[in-house]
Amino acid sequence: GQTTTLQVATQGRPPKTFQWFQGQTGDTSNPVSGATASSFTTPALFADTSFWVRVSDNTVSLNSGTATIFVTDGPITYSS
């Protein structure tokens, strides 16, 4: 039931446009309405959910990798 903020950093000349999508990179069937900035705050998430962003300028469009947010019932402990 928490939100999180995703952000992409770009280089090069402006202007840049951004469009965030829910799903796997390249799947443009589920654009996030109003998510057209370099950062995006998710709605409250109750299940694992993936997002990615397409960044465009006057000459090229590039897709980010997929960012998956994992929803857990408690803290995640990593061990090596």
Side-chain angles (χ1 to χ4, degrees), residues 43-58:
L45 300 174
F46 297 93
D48 298 350
T49 309
S50 296
F51 297 95
W52 64 280
V53 63
R54 176 171 286 166
V55 181
S56 302
D57 65 16
N58 292 331

Side-chain angles (χ1 to χ4, degrees), residues 2 5 8 11-12 20 32 35 39-41 47 56 59-60 67 79:
Q2 300 284 327
T5 299
V8 63
Q11 294 180 338
W20 290 86
V32 179
S39 64
F40 157 61
T41 300
S56 302
T59 59
V60 67
S79 61

Side-chain angles (χ1 to χ4, degrees), residues 13-68:
R13 293 181 300 172
K16 301 254 191 305
T17 61
F18 304 87
Q19 177 60 62
W20 290 86
F21 296 87
Q22 185 175 338
Q24 299 299 309
T25 297
D27 178 0
T28 59
S29 64
N30 198 10
V32 179
S33 179
T36 57
S38 62
S39 64
F40 157 61
T41 300
T42 69
L45 300 174
F46 297 93
D48 298 350
T49 309
S50 296
F51 297 95
W52 64 280
V53 63
R54 176 171 286 166
V55 181
S56 302
D57 65 16
N58 292 331
T59 59
V60 67
S61 293
L62 298 172
N63 297 339
S64 73
T66 302
T68 301

